[in-house]
Amino acid sequence: MPQNRKIVLKSHPKGPVGVENFDMVTDQTGPMAAGLVCVKVDHLSIDAFIRTTLDGGGFHQSAKLGGVVPALGVGTVVESGDPAFVVGDIVTGPMCSQEYAVLPAAMCGKVDTRLGSPTAFLGALSIATGLTSYVGMKYVAKISGGETVVVSGAAGAVGSLAGQVAKLLGAGRVIGIAGGPKKCAFLVDELGFDAAVDYKAGDVSGQVSALAPNGVDVFYDNVGGEVLDAVLMNLAIEARVVLCGAVSQYENMADVRGPKNYLKIAERDASLLGFTIFHYPDKYGEATTAMADWLASGELIVHETVGTGLENFPAAVRALLDGGNTGKFLLKVS
Ligand SMILES: NC(=O)c1ccc[n+]([C@@H]2O[C@H](COP(=O)([O-])OP(=O)(O)OC[C@H]3O[C@@H](n4cnc5c(N)ncnc54)[C@H](OP(=O)(O)O)[C@@H]3O)[C@@H](O)[C@H]2O)c1
């Protein structure tokens, strides 16, 4: 079995995560057995949820001290103990922060390159990115024609797709919220959003009000905190606020701050709707087909930010939380 370089969690972050919280170690790739596959990891997906695994007793299943960090990835089967996979198959799965993953075959999905590139299976065709944007818009927000939709974290992986999916499902006007003029221009000029709000420029509520004077029908929130509060001030009657995530809170999960303007939900006869994609397995097939069709037709635009080198995994996690990515953040491992 090959030597395996891994990024392991050295210490739980106390506050913002930094590269000092991780170590790189090399050891032997784990033993193979029936039902397992060994995958050489090609790309890792740098996702906001990773931060929530680092605290110990975290939101998602936690990373263990000294253990690899949870991360989705795509790679190539180099040894198979399961008849469903052969050497050379390209697969996705929970590869974690390492060069070789030995994992149960049942946890891997075969990449169908007729639907998209291997990295698309970490982005537009991934459960935790593209399918999240589709299911959140279609089945949680229940978009209907002509509505005004606001998406936060709009230049990120989920948000950049969610805004486009809203349009493709018939939304009337889609407004993205992102950090900085460059990302805002990207949303409008490259992704076809109708308008963008730069939350770093301040007065988010005023900016949203100017762009959506009749109110926001759907808010697809990836950020929480002050951005959520600002949009709550601008809800239309019977608005739906979809809690997809709250990345602004992930560095301090022990003291998560809820929206102080939540009474606007009552005032506007609105609904606050949380969802977790893993509770919608019955929608994966439909969502994959729809996203693949939009990719093929060119109606869905994907943007990837690609870092290089497993050793840069800690810096990539930090960079994601600092807004260092536009679109899907990937790390090329080999
Ligand atoms: N509900 C579900 O089942 C589900 C599944 C997958 C993901 N999610 C959620 O989807 C959201 C997006 O995740 P992702 O992996 O696609 O990450 P991402 O959007 O690609 O990256 C995170 C982005 O958040 C923005 N950000 C960071 N801190 C912020 C702050 N304090 N205020 C405002 N914006 C901030 C940054 O962009 P700027 O430059 O614009 O600041 C950064 O690029 C996360 O909340 C995640 O938990 C939910």
Side-chain angles (χ1 to χ4, degrees), residues 48 128 156-158 179 183 199 222-223 244-246 248 250 275 277 320-321 325:
V158 171
K183 286 192 176 181
Y199 76 88
N222 291 308
V223 163
C244 177
S248 70
Y250 294 171
F275 84 106
I277 187 61
L320 179 92
L321 297 164
N325 62 308

Side-chain angles (χ1 to χ4, degrees), residues 117-143:
S117 66
T119 58
F121 282 80
L122 298 179
L125 302 178
S126 156
I127 292 170
T129 301
L131 276 50
T132 297
S133 68
Y134 181 92
V135 168
M137 279 297 174
K138 181 160 180 183
Y139 290 105
V140 187
K142 297 195 172 91
I143 291 279

